[in-house]
Amino acid sequence: MKTKQKIIGLKEIKNAYKTLLLYKEGKRFLEERIVENEEWYKLRCCPNVGGVEKSQNSAWLFNSIINKHADAMDSFPEPNILAREEGDEEQAKLFSAILPVILEQRGFEQTYSDAWWYKLKTGTGVYGVFWNNELENGLGDVDIKQLDILNLFWEPGIKYLEQSANLFYATAVDRQELISRYPEKEEQIKKGFGELSAYRLEDGITDDSKALVVDWYYKKKVGNKTLLHYCKFSGEALLFASENEAQYQNRGFYDHGKYPIVFDTLFVTENSPAGFGYVDAMKECQISIDKLNTAIERNALMGEMPRFFISDSAGINEEEFADWSRPFIHTTGRIDDQTLKQVEVGNVSSNALELLTFKVNELKETSGNRDFSQGSTNYGVTAASAILALQEAGNKLSRDMIKSAFRAYANICYLILELVRQFYTEPRSFRITGDDGNVNYITYQSNDALGRKIFANSRPVFDIKIVPQKQNPYQKAQQNELAKELFSLGMLAPERREEARLAIKLMDFYGKEELLNKLSVDFAKGDAV
């Protein structure tokens, strides 16, 4: 590999590090909020109430979050690649088969789950889509990771990540392992990772055992094209710079020219690519609930543990009086209401109980986590179909946030597709299981993706359609009823082909295109579906 003139050196990485610190200062409040939200999620962040060191923890907020996560995983997505032009149909079918296999090999379902937990807590799920040369026994492959916003640094005041002049991803890695890979740079690799904000952890990490490694992505205009370059450094040690490599200087590190980071924002905020989450929206209500719970519990305990006013003239043996196992209590004076009187503890007022109920309902409404969405019923609703219909009607908030996640997922698939087209220079074999259960083996190489050329260096452009891999119980029941109704009406009989096709075209349901295609094939044979 030939190396041209050295463009990135010590001066450049020092300036990049200064920029990183500037970016970090710009997101200081965001980092503080994220660290605090993690404590709320772990039920560790409660205010002092009435002199008591810690108020009672209740899990209403936590319950809302785990229900939203369950909704998200019920609609785990899968990609469908569509060609924009007829000549690219074969390539689109090929990518539709390959992408799910790559996602499965990388364990994307777990990554998707982790990103959703993070999104619900902090407001932003973050994915990294990289090329990892160490995967597949050194052959290299696409790597998809869930990232922590505390480790990411972008230009303050921007709305979209692509608007940032630089993007930094910093991680704390084992210093000795890093030195073993770059022994000649041992003196330049500094100890410590104080630049990173930290969560409150049970496990302690010493600065001496770790070193800060920074992945620096930046864009550079060359003619009419914007190139994405990549630099990796630790302390004053330059570990890699794409601008210093001949093969990347006029091409950029990634051909797609985009930052390899995808943000999935829950609740949007202005002038920031990061949003806020359910913890931020519900924590104040949770504080009120915990205060009321603590007050009610203290009142109940005080009522069940009586205290007494005792006059010195009563001469009561206090040790015997406090010991309920003793049948006799010795006194030297007269016992009456003047010498011994119980401290009266009033009952919890109805206002406090009503306020607690109101706050719990407020939190449910704020999160959209109503009783029906969890399967419980009120007001005499017992029919399964009615419960399912109410659940579906009450899930519009979940459907909205899942749609935003699907948009982020489409961007992830786009980055994967582009990395495959750039780096799969060696033939790769894939085992594909069809809907009919048959197993097929296909081979792919990146040169195949160049496909039909219209202009010089042009490549096919694909649309990415995201659909849920699984359907929720209501959708399944609805489609089962639709299928039974179509059969009972005789619409799927061969002689009623045109009626069936016209009726289905006017309908809107999941799997509509697949059914129309099947009707066309089966009716052409003269057979019923």
Side-chain angles (χ1 to χ4, degrees):
M1 181 184 299
K2 294 182 179 181
T3 303
K4 288 187 178 181
Q5 59 180 353
K6 189 175 182 180
I7 299 174
I8 302 297
L10 180 59
K11 177 183 177 181
E12 285 72 23
I13 64 174
K14 281 186 174 181
N15 289 334
Y17 180 71
K18 290 179 181 178
T19 304
L20 184 153
L21 295 180
L22 182 66
Y23 286 7
K24 175 179 172 58
E25 179 61 26
K27 61 190 280 278
R28 177 166 54 92
F29 295 112
L30 172 63
E31 292 185 349
E32 291 174 356
R33 177 172 64 81
I34 289 173
V35 172
E36 180 185 347
N37 284 3
E38 182 65 19
E39 294 303 302
W40 276 95
Y41 171 72
K42 294 187 289 189
L43 304 179
R44 293 179 177 176
C45 192
C46 290
N48 294 340
V49 180
V52 180
E53 182 178 349
K54 192 175 183 182
S55 64
Q56 177 186 347
N57 297 110
S58 62
W60 289 105
L61 185 152
F62 178 78
N63 178 263
S64 295
I65 291 175
I66 62 176
N67 271 277
K68 294 300 181 186
H69 185 270
D71 289 342
M73 297 311 294
D74 267 349
S75 299
F76 184 73
E78 65 179 11
N80 184 20
I81 311 301
L82 305 174
R84 290 192 183 179
E85 298 191 29
E86 186 177 355
D88 301 327
E89 285 288 348
E90 289 301 318
Q91 289 291 326
K93 290 179 181 178
L94 185 63
F95 281 123
S96 291
I98 290 176
L99 254 63
V101 176
I102 295 174
L103 290 164
E104 184 178 359
Q105 289 175 343
R106 298 284 80 81
F108 182 74
E109 185 169 354
Q110 182 62 55
T111 304
Y112 189 75
S113 173
D114 293 343
W116 261 101
W117 286 121
Y118 197 86
K119 173 182 176 179
L120 293 167
K121 291 183 292 184
T122 69
T124 312
V126 186
Y127 300 89
V129 185
F130 312 104
W131 180 259
N132 189 339
N133 286 317
E134 298 180 358
L135 294 176
E136 300 297 329
N137 296 319
L139 185 60
D141 208 341
V142 179
D143 199 4
I144 312 164
K145 298 180 179 179
Q146 182 261 324
L147 306 181
D148 193 332
I149 285 186
L150 298 184
N151 295 13
L152 283 167
F153 306 92
W154 58 87
E155 184 179 344
I158 62 168
K159 177 68 173 178
Y160 302 105
L161 203 62
E162 291 298 324
Q163 297 172 340
S164 182
N166 304 273
L167 179 63
F168 299 94
Y169 175 54
T171 52
V173 302
D174 186 88
R175 185 170 179 271
Q176 292 304 316
E177 181 181 350
L178 191 62
I179 291 173
S180 67
R181 299 180 64 178
Y182 305 94
E184 73 281 2
K185 300 181 182 294
E186 179 175 0
E187 294 184 359
Q188 298 171 295
I189 298 175
K190 307 298 183 182
K191 298 178 181 179
F193 55 99
E195 297 84 351
L196 299 180
S197 298
Y199 299 104
R200 291 174 54 190
L201 304 175
E202 281 89 7
D203 301 328
I205 303 176
T206 62
D207 283 1
D208 290 344
S209 65
K210 300 287 184 179
L212 184 75
V213 175
V214 179
D215 292 336
W216 169 31
Y217 298 92
Y218 60 97
K219 296 185 177 183
K220 191 171 184 178
K221 194 81 170 178
V222 178
N224 294 326
K225 187 176 181 182
T226 301
L227 304 180
L228 176 73
H229 281 291
Y230 166 60
C231 177
K232 190 183 192 75
F233 64 89
S234 178
E236 297 180 351
L238 177 62
L239 308 180
F240 176 82
S242 61
E243 272 203 278
N244 292 348
E245 304 294 330
Q247 62 174 322
Y248 297 120
Q249 280 186 357
N250 298 320
R251 181 181 183 179
F253 189 68
Y254 289 136
D255 286 350
H256 55 63
K258 295 180 177 292
Y259 289 128
I261 309 295
V262 176
F263 274 24
D264 178 14
T265 305
L266 185 56
F267 302 126
V268 177
T269 57
E270 293 302 322
N271 297 323
S272 175
F276 66 96
Y278 274 106
V279 173
D280 301 292
M282 296 187 292
K283 65 172 65 172
E284 294 301 323
C285 191
Q286 183 66 58
I287 288 174
S288 297
I289 292 172
D290 288 341
K291 285 182 177 180
L292 288 166
N293 278 340
T294 301
I296 290 171
E297 182 174 323
R298 288 182 62 197
N299 181 272
L301 291 173
M302 290 168 63
E304 297 302 318
M305 299 175 63
R307 302 178 69 207
F308 296 85
F309 296 107
I310 301 177
S311 172
D312 290 339
S313 62
I316 296 175
N317 186 318
E318 293 182 12
E319 180 180 349
E320 294 178 352
F321 183 77
D323 188 352
W324 287 85
S325 65
R326 296 193 178 190
F328 303 104
I329 301 172
H330 294 89
T331 65
T332 57
R334 181 178 178 181
I335 304 300
D336 55 26
D337 292 342
Q338 300 300 318
T339 56
L340 180 65
K341 185 176 181 181
Q342 182 174 339
V343 179
E344 295 183 2
V345 178
N347 294 326
V348 178
S349 70
S350 60
N351 289 338
L353 295 174
E354 289 176 4
L355 180 59
L356 176 60
T357 302
F358 173 80
K359 284 296 180 181
V360 170
N361 289 333
E362 179 187 344
L363 191 145
K364 289 181 181 180
E365 290 295 323
T366 301
S367 65
N369 191 40
R370 301 177 181 87
D371 292 335
F372 284 118
S373 65
Q374 301 182 77
S376 59
T377 64
N378 286 314
Y379 312 115
V381 180
T382 57
S385 58
I387 295 172
L388 287 172
L390 287 169
Q391 285 179 331
E392 190 66 13
N395 282 341
K396 60 183 179 182
L397 294 179
S398 293
R399 292 196 300 271
D400 181 55
M401 68 179 187
I402 288 169
K403 284 182 179 179
S404 75
F406 282 9
R407 291 191 292 270
Y409 182 82
N411 291 331
I412 292 169
C413 291
Y414 167 78
L415 294 178
I416 295 173
L417 186 150
E418 291 301 324
L419 291 180
V420 166
R421 297 209 283 192
Q422 178 179 351
F423 290 103
Y424 272 32
T425 55
E426 299 292 333
R428 308 288 182 110
S429 296
F430 296 90
R431 184 183 70 237
I432 308 299
T433 303
D435 294 335
D436 55 0
N438 292 330
V439 176
N440 299 313
Y441 294 88
I442 62 174
T443 301
Y444 174 80
Q445 189 174 358
S446 61
N447 291 336
D448 299 336
L450 294 176
R452 170 182 47 79
K453 292 188 177 181
I454 302 174
F455 304 104
N457 299 320
S458 68
R459 295 193 296 180
V461 178
F462 301 106
D463 294 322
I464 300 175
K465 183 179 180 181
I466 308 301
V467 296
Q469 193 178 82
K470 297 179 291 185
Q471 294 176 281
N472 64 39
Y474 176 77
Q475 290 172 321
K476 289 180 180 178
Q478 189 180 42
Q479 285 202 233
N480 291 342
E481 289 297 325
L482 175 62
K484 289 191 293 184
E485 187 174 353
L486 289 174
F487 273 108
S488 64
L489 293 173
M491 292 185 65
L492 300 182
E495 63 273 11
R496 302 187 68 181
R497 174 181 60 183
E498 294 305 323
E499 294 178 44
R501 286 171 58 82
L502 179 60
I504 292 172
K505 283 182 178 180
L506 295 173
M507 296 179 184
D508 185 15
F509 58 90
Y510 177 72
K512 170 183 171 180
E513 297 299 327
E514 183 180 353
L515 179 57
L516 281 172
N517 183 57
K518 186 170 179 61
L519 284 172
S520 298
V521 173
D522 290 342
F523 281 140
K525 297 177 182 178
D527 300 325
V529 177

